[in-house]
Amino acid sequence: QVSPGLRTPLVPVWLCSPRGRHSVLFSTDSRLLSHWRAERVFHLHLYSGQQEQSQTAHLTVDTHSHHWAEAPSEDPCSPGRRCPALEMTIRTKWAGATVSWNGTGPFF
């Protein structure tokens, strides 16, 4: 028997596997489940359990900024440069979103 709390989580949780590394991406903001306006700028937490991750990474996702409008030298996902796999995974849900790692180096 599965608990109702596990069937319908109170906060958004995603299990992802960029490049074959399993990780948990979650938000502590329950409004992401029901209010589309909460998807403007929000925070996600990432935990992978990998050796190179000493603490939970805090990511800021902005779905209305335009990464192509920034200076090309500042955009890590510009043509000819590699984009972290996790950012590409996040963009499958929020196309065109910019992801800030808030001082943590992308370890994926």
Side-chain angles (χ1 to χ4, degrees):
Q1 184 78 351
V2 177
S3 164
L6 293 175
R7 289 184 294 210
T8 308
L10 299 176
V11 295
V13 177
W14 296 274
L15 300 174
C16 51
S17 182
R19 295 189 173 193
R21 291 180 163 184
H22 302 293
S23 58
V24 177
L25 192 62
F26 64 96
S27 175
T28 57
D29 186 0
S30 62
R31 295 179 309 144
L32 279 177
L33 294 171
S34 58
H35 300 292
W36 61 270
R37 289 184 185 184
E39 292 186 1
R40 167 71 169 90
V41 176
F42 55 93
H43 302 280
L44 294 175
H45 305 277
L46 172 71
Y47 181 73
S48 68
Q50 301 296 321
Q51 285 182 334
E52 55 272 1
Q53 183 181 11
S54 60
Q55 61 184 5
T56 303
H58 299 275
L59 310 175
T60 302
V61 179
D62 186 348
T63 60
H64 287 91
S65 69
H66 302 291
H67 64 278
W68 58 84
E70 297 174 1
S73 61
E74 295 179 13
D75 183 16
C77 299
S78 62
R81 298 189 74 183
R82 295 187 67 164
C83 184
L86 184 68
E87 289 184 30
M88 293 171 32
T89 302
I90 290 171
R91 288 186 184 125
T92 63
K93 169 79 173 144
W94 296 283
T98 58
V99 179
S100 171
W101 287 77
N102 298 322
T104 304
F107 47 85
F108 276 101

